[in-house]
Coordinates of all heavy atoms in Angstrom, one line a residue:
F1618 N 7.4 -42.7 21.5 CA 6.5 -43.5 20.5 C 6.9 -44.9 20.8 O 8.0 -45.5 20.9 CB 7.2 -43.3 19.1 CG 6.9 -41.7 18.7 CD1 7.8 -40.7 18.9 CD2 5.8 -41.5 17.8 CE1 7.6 -39.5 18.5 CE2 5.7 -40.2 17.4 CZ 6.6 -39.2 17.6
D1619 N 5.7 -45.7 21.1 CA 5.8 -47.1 21.4 C 5.3 -47.9 20.2 O 4.2 -48.2 20.1 CB 5.0 -47.4 22.7 CG 5.0 -48.8 23.2 OD1 5.9 -49.5 22.6 OD2 4.3 -49.2 24.1
E1620 N 6.2 -48.3 19.5 CA 6.0 -49.2 18.2 C 4.7 -48.5 17.5 O 3.7 -49.2 17.3 CB 5.8 -50.6 18.4 CG 7.1 -51.2 19.1 CD 7.2 -52.6 18.9 OE1 6.6 -53.1 18.0 OE2 7.8 -53.3 19.8
P1621 N 4.7 -47.2 17.0 CA 3.6 -46.7 16.5 C 3.2 -47.1 15.1 O 2.0 -46.8 14.8 CB 4.0 -45.1 16.3 CG 5.6 -45.2 16.1 CD 6.0 -46.4 17.0
T1622 N 3.8 -48.0 14.5 CA 3.4 -48.5 13.3 C 3.0 -50.0 13.3 O 2.6 -50.6 12.3 CB 4.5 -48.4 12.1 OG1 5.6 -49.1 12.6 CG2 4.8 -47.0 11.9
S1623 N 3.1 -50.6 14.5 CA 2.9 -52.0 14.7 C 1.5 -52.5 14.3 O 1.2 -53.7 14.0 CB 3.4 -52.6 15.9 OG 2.6 -52.1 16.9
A1624 N 0.5 -51.7 14.5 CA -0.9 -52.0 14.3 C -1.4 -51.6 13.0 O -2.6 -51.9 12.7 CB -1.8 -51.3 15.4
L1625 N -0.4 -51.1 12.1 CA -1.0 -50.6 10.8 C -0.7 -51.7 9.7 O 0.3 -52.6 9.7 CB -0.1 -49.4 10.4 CG -0.2 -48.3 11.3 CD1 0.6 -47.0 10.9 CD2 -1.8 -47.7 11.4
D1626 N -1.5 -51.6 8.7 CA -1.2 -52.4 7.4 C 0.0 -51.9 6.7 O 0.3 -50.7 6.8 CB -2.4 -52.3 6.4 CG -3.7 -52.8 7.0 OD1 -3.6 -53.8 7.9 OD2 -4.9 -52.4 6.7
P1627 N 0.8 -52.7 6.1 CA 2.1 -52.4 5.5 C 2.0 -51.1 4.5 O 2.9 -50.3 4.7 CB 2.4 -53.6 4.7 CG 1.8 -54.7 5.4 CD 0.4 -54.3 5.8
E1628 N 0.9 -50.9 3.9 CA 0.9 -49.8 2.9 C 0.6 -48.5 3.7 O 0.8 -47.4 3.1 CB -0.3 -50.0 2.0 CG -1.7 -50.1 2.4 CD -2.2 -51.4 2.9 OE1 -1.3 -52.4 3.0 OE2 -3.4 -51.6 3.0
L1629 N 0.3 -48.6 5.0 CA 0.0 -47.3 5.8 C 1.2 -46.9 6.5 O 1.1 -45.8 7.2 CB -1.3 -47.5 6.6 CG -2.6 -47.8 5.9 CD1 -3.7 -48.0 7.0 CD2 -2.8 -46.7 5.0
I1630 N 2.2 -47.8 6.7 CA 3.3 -47.5 7.6 C 4.1 -46.3 7.2 O 4.5 -45.5 8.0 CB 4.2 -48.8 7.7 CG1 3.5 -49.9 8.5 CG2 5.6 -48.5 8.4 CD1 4.2 -51.2 8.4
G1631 N 4.2 -46.2 5.9 CA 5.1 -45.1 5.4 C 4.6 -43.8 5.7 O 5.4 -42.9 6.1
E1632 N 3.3 -43.5 5.7 CA 2.8 -42.2 6.0 C 3.0 -41.8 7.4 O 3.3 -40.7 7.6 CB 1.3 -42.2 5.6 CG 0.3 -42.9 6.5 CD -1.1 -42.8 6.0 OE1 -1.5 -43.4 5.0 OE2 -1.9 -42.2 6.7
V1633 N 2.9 -42.7 8.3 CA 3.3 -42.4 9.7 C 4.7 -42.2 9.9 O 5.1 -41.3 10.5 CB 2.7 -43.5 10.7 CG1 3.2 -43.3 12.1 CG2 1.2 -43.6 10.5
L1634 N 5.5 -43.0 9.3 CA 7.0 -42.8 9.5 C 7.4 -41.5 8.9 O 8.3 -40.8 9.5 CB 7.7 -43.9 8.8 CG 7.7 -45.3 9.4 CD1 8.4 -46.3 8.6 CD2 8.0 -45.3 10.8
N1635 N 6.8 -40.9 7.8 CA 7.2 -39.7 7.2 C 6.8 -38.6 8.1 O 7.6 -37.6 8.1 CB 6.5 -39.6 5.8 CG 7.1 -40.4 4.7 OD1 8.3 -40.8 4.8 ND2 6.2 -40.7 3.8
V1636 N 5.7 -38.7 8.8 CA 5.3 -37.6 9.8 C 6.3 -37.6 10.8 O 6.7 -36.5 11.3 CB 3.9 -38.0 10.3 CG1 3.6 -37.1 11.6 CG2 2.8 -37.6 9.2
M1637 N 6.7 -38.8 11.3 CA 7.7 -38.9 12.4 C 9.1 -38.3 12.1 O 9.6 -37.6 12.8 CB 7.9 -40.3 12.9 CG 6.7 -40.9 13.6 SD 6.7 -42.6 14.0 CE 8.1 -42.6 15.2
K1638 N 9.4 -38.5 10.8 CA 10.7 -37.8 10.3 C 10.5 -36.3 10.2 O 11.5 -35.7 10.7 CB 10.9 -38.4 8.9 CG 11.4 -39.7 8.8 CD 11.5 -40.2 7.3 CE 11.6 -41.7 7.1 NZ 11.6 -42.1 5.7
K1639 N 9.4 -35.8 10.0 CA 9.1 -34.4 9.9 C 9.2 -33.8 11.3 O 9.8 -32.7 11.6 CB 7.7 -34.2 9.3 CG 7.4 -32.7 9.1 CD 6.1 -32.6 8.5 CE 5.7 -30.9 8.3 NZ 4.4 -30.8 7.7
V1640 N 8.6 -34.5 12.3 CA 8.6 -34.0 13.7 C 10.0 -34.1 14.1 O 10.4 -33.0 14.9 CB 7.7 -34.9 14.6 CG1 7.9 -34.6 16.0 CG2 6.3 -34.9 14.1
A1641 N 10.8 -35.0 13.9 CA 12.2 -35.0 14.2 C 13.1 -33.9 13.6 O 13.8 -33.2 14.2 CB 12.8 -36.4 13.8
K1642 N 12.9 -33.6 12.2 CA 13.6 -32.5 11.7 C 13.2 -31.2 12.2 O 14.0 -30.3 12.2 CB 13.4 -32.5 10.1 CG 13.9 -33.7 9.4 CD 13.6 -33.7 7.9 CE 14.1 -34.9 7.2 NZ 13.8 -34.9 5.7
E1643 N 12.0 -31.1 12.8 CA 11.6 -29.8 13.4 C 12.1 -29.7 14.8 O 11.9 -28.6 15.5 CB 10.0 -29.8 13.5 CG 9.5 -29.5 12.0 CD 8.0 -29.7 12.0 OE1 7.4 -30.1 13.0 OE2 7.5 -29.4 10.9
G1644 N 12.9 -30.6 15.3 CA 13.6 -30.5 16.5 C 13.0 -31.0 17.8 O 13.6 -30.7 18.8
M1645 N 12.0 -31.9 17.6 CA 11.5 -32.5 18.7 C 12.5 -33.6 19.4 O 12.9 -34.3 18.6 CB 10.1 -33.1 18.5 CG 9.4 -33.9 19.6 SD 9.1 -33.0 21.0 CE 7.9 -31.8 20.5
T1646 N 12.6 -33.7 20.6 CA 13.3 -34.8 21.2 C 12.5 -35.9 21.3 O 11.3 -35.9 21.7 CB 13.8 -34.3 22.8 OG1 14.4 -33.0 22.7 CG2 14.6 -35.3 23.4
M1647 N 13.0 -37.2 20.8 CA 12.0 -38.2 20.5 C 12.9 -39.6 21.0 O 14.1 -39.7 20.8 CB 11.8 -38.5 19.1 CG 10.9 -37.3 18.5 SD 10.8 -37.2 16.7 CE 10.2 -38.8 16.3

Side-chain angles (χ1 to χ4, degrees):
F1618 293 85
D1619 186 9
E1620 298 202 30
T1622 61
S1623 64
L1625 298 177
D1626 294 332
E1628 66 271 17
L1629 301 177
I1630 290 173
E1632 66 181 72
V1633 173
L1634 294 179
N1635 285 337
V1636 165
M1637 292 171 64
K1638 291 174 188 177
K1639 182 179 180 183
V1640 172
K1642 286 179 181 177
E1643 290 171 352
M1645 176 58 69
T1646 309
M1647 295 167 54

